[in-house]
Amino acid sequence: MKRLAKIIVILLVIVYISKVGITTFANKNETTVVTYGSISIAFNAQGYVIKNEMLINAPFDGKIKKLVQSGEKIPKGTPIVEVYSADFDEEKLHQLEEIDRKLKNQDTNIPFYSDIQKLDNIIKKEEQNYQNAIQQGRPNADKIQKRIEDLKAKKEEILSKGPIILQKIESLKEQKEYLEKYVEKNMITVNSPESGIVSYYFDGSENILNERNMFNLNPTQLENLNFQSKEISTEVKGDYPFVKIVDNLEWYLALVLNEKQQDLLKEDSNVKILIDNYGGELRGKVIKTYKGDDKLYIGIIEMIDEYPDFYKTSKIDVKIKVKEYNGLKIPLSSIVQKEGKEGVFVIKNGKVPTFKEVVIKATDGKYAIVESVDKTSGLKAYDEIAVNGEDYLSK
């Protein structure tokens, strides 16, 4: 009887070992190797770009000639655009260019040319003195006017006695002066009041998405904004903005958040931002989160890195990386609970799977970063583990 019982036990052990071996072999393609990796705690959100912009209004109805294109960085005082009145005769501008070309090609090594130049400079100076005297009510205005008349008479005398070419040059100069006054009256050159990026893009959000208003945003208001970005090309309307100077050193992102996302964003914490259709990863700092309405929140992120298209963009799809964990990276499906402990099954050389206890540091729902509880003989990099840990609980 004892011998029979012994034979039965031996047979059961053989069957068990065979079963485990077959199972291990059958599930060989459902194993993976433990590696070092990283997991990001992140979420997708709608981002609204907040810029520090200086808007410049057109001085009158008309057309513009861009001296600087959108996206260019310029210092303060740079001429950026010329504005021409609606009835401006462009032919006058072409005539002025042609006269300038002719004057540059004239031979100035002729008799009396330098004398005429000196007289012109003196007359110009005296005319300015006369204007100042009139404005200030000085009694010597009449004497200055008399000097101007005498200088002009002397000039006419020289011209009448000089070569014909001298009179031709003088005629060109008079035409140039007339055309310059016409252009000056009908054209204004706009210089940049500050340094920054030039932008002719407008989308109607300028009065909402700005630094003055960024702590008073409402999710519904943002979601109802009708963003139709349009670049001003040629036509402008008086007293309406047509160009901006955008601060390229300072910009922000406003995020519409649900409660779970709001809990992840901690004020003064650093985050990383991935912008849809842009390959770079940008750094930012959470400066504030606040309730926007009954269900949604607003998060404000101060951006550290530049985004090339921020000057012409107001609404972007973003992914916010709140935190990154590094360590042993394994499939979440590998982790099971056994006897109240979390762990994985390590498989070595086709032997019986061995349970190794781990602590989950982070998970993204698909993978997990873990640490081994037993630092000596626990889970290590390059161990082979079961992908579906549940399959081995009953083995």
Side-chain angles (χ1 to χ4, degrees):
M1 189 68 181
K2 290 183 179 180
R3 185 178 177 183
L4 180 60
K6 187 176 181 180
I7 291 172
I8 292 173
V9 169
I10 292 171
L11 288 173
L12 289 173
V13 170
I14 292 171
V15 170
Y16 174 77
I17 292 173
S18 299
K19 185 178 179 183
V20 170
I22 292 170
T23 302
T24 302
F25 179 81
N27 287 281
K28 201 70 176 177
N29 62 343
E30 295 182 17
T31 63
T32 188
V33 175
V34 178
T35 60
Y36 284 105
S38 63
I39 282 179
S40 296
I41 304 301
F43 61 86
N44 296 319
Q46 189 67 68
Y48 298 89
V49 179
I50 296 175
K51 303 176 280 283
N52 180 16
E53 302 173 318
M54 179 174 289
L55 277 61
I56 301 173
N57 291 351
F60 40 68
D61 293 356
K63 297 182 179 181
I64 60 172
K65 177 183 178 181
K66 297 176 182 178
L67 307 178
V68 177
Q69 298 302 311
S70 285
E72 292 187 37
K73 295 179 183 179
I74 56 167
K76 180 179 180 179
T78 302
I80 54 177
V81 63
E82 292 175 348
V83 186
Y84 298 89
S85 62
D87 57 352
F88 179 76
D89 183 0
E90 290 188 32
E91 184 58 31
K92 294 284 196 300
L93 199 58
H94 299 317
Q95 292 173 6
L96 180 58
E97 292 171 353
E98 179 64 18
I99 288 174
D100 274 333
R101 186 188 65 79
K102 288 181 180 179
L103 284 172
K104 287 179 182 178
N105 292 332
Q106 292 296 327
D107 182 10
T108 57
N109 295 315
I110 55 177
F112 307 117
Y113 179 82
S114 59
D115 296 327
I116 294 295
Q117 288 293 100
K118 290 177 183 178
L119 280 171
D120 281 340
N121 291 335
I122 295 173
I123 291 170
K124 187 176 181 180
K125 185 176 180 180
E126 289 292 354
E127 285 177 338
Q128 185 60 53
N129 290 336
Y130 176 74
Q131 293 297 326
N132 293 338
I134 293 295
Q135 291 174 4
Q136 297 170 11
R138 297 205 306 265
N140 65 335
D142 291 342
K143 291 182 179 180
I144 297 174
Q145 187 177 29
K146 180 64 169 62
R147 284 201 301 270
I148 292 172
E149 292 172 356
D150 291 342
L151 289 168
K152 287 182 176 181
K154 186 176 181 180
K155 176 181 175 180
E156 288 298 324
E157 183 180 356
I158 295 173
L159 286 172
S160 64
K161 295 179 180 179
I164 297 298
I165 187 64
L166 192 63
Q167 297 175 18
K168 182 180 178 181
I169 292 174
E170 185 62 23
S171 176
L172 288 172
K173 287 165 64 178
E174 289 176 356
Q175 293 178 57
K176 179 182 178 180
E177 183 178 358
Y178 161 74
L179 291 170
E180 284 178 337
K181 287 181 178 179
Y182 174 83
V183 171
E184 183 179 351
K185 181 180 178 182
N186 292 276
M187 186 272 285
I188 291 178
T189 299
V190 178
N191 298 324
S192 176
E194 295 292 342
S195 61
I197 295 176
V198 175
S199 175
Y200 300 94
Y201 286 91
F202 291 83
D203 59 20
S205 68
E206 287 77 20
N207 292 327
I208 296 173
L209 294 178
N210 55 61
E211 289 188 31
R212 298 183 303 276
N213 194 46
M214 68 180 179
F215 297 126
N216 298 295
L217 297 174
N218 181 275
T220 303
Q221 178 190 39
L222 292 176
E223 290 171 355
N224 288 335
L225 282 174
N226 184 21
F227 294 95
Q228 294 182 345
S229 184
K230 181 181 179 182
E231 185 177 21
I232 302 297
S233 54
T234 55
E235 303 283 341
V236 295
K237 190 173 182 180
D239 294 327
Y240 280 81
F242 75 107
V243 64
K244 314 180 212 177
I245 305 300
V246 186
D247 185 350
N248 61 294
L249 300 177
E250 190 174 84
W251 66 289
Y252 303 84
L253 267 184
L255 306 174
V256 176
L257 310 167
N258 57 38
E259 188 171 358
K260 183 179 178 181
Q261 293 169 338
Q262 191 268 341
D263 288 339
L264 289 173
L265 283 187
K266 305 299 181 184
E267 292 187 7
D268 295 325
S269 65
N270 294 319
V271 295
K272 292 182 180 178
I273 295 94
L274 293 172
I275 298 176
D276 198 27
N277 298 321
Y278 177 67
E281 189 174 75
L282 308 179
R283 296 172 298 162
K285 182 178 181 180
V286 182
I287 59 173
K288 191 174 182 63
T289 61
Y290 59 90
K291 198 156 190 176
D293 56 27
D294 292 340
K295 297 180 180 180
L296 297 174
Y297 296 80
I298 297 291
I300 304 295
I301 298 177
E302 181 179 15
M303 300 304 298
I304 298 171
D305 297 319
E306 288 189 23
Y307 169 50
D309 289 340
F310 91 101
Y311 70 91
K312 63 179 181 181
T313 305
S314 294
K315 185 179 181 180
I316 51 178
D317 295 321
V318 297
K319 181 177 183 179
I320 309 298
K321 289 186 177 181
V322 178
K323 195 169 183 179
E324 196 166 62
Y325 294 87
N326 300 293
L328 299 177
K329 185 176 181 180
I330 62 174
L332 189 61
S333 60
S334 297
I335 303 172
V336 295
Q337 282 204 352
K338 184 178 180 181
E339 298 175 359
K341 298 177 180 179
E342 287 185 318
V344 299
F345 284 102
V346 177
I347 302 171
K348 291 186 177 180
N349 303 321
K351 294 181 180 179
V352 177
T354 305
F355 182 78
K356 302 284 187 180
E357 188 180 358
V358 297
V359 175
I360 299 175
K361 305 299 292 183
T363 178
D364 61 3
K366 186 176 181 181
Y367 292 94
I369 298 295
V370 300
E371 286 184 358
S372 178
V373 173
D374 188 336
K375 303 298 181 183
T376 305
S377 60
L379 186 68
K380 296 181 177 62
Y382 308 115
D383 279 349
E384 188 174 3
I385 63 172
V387 172
N388 299 306
E390 293 283 347
D391 292 347
Y392 289 84
L393 282 177
S394 59
K395 306 294 188 286

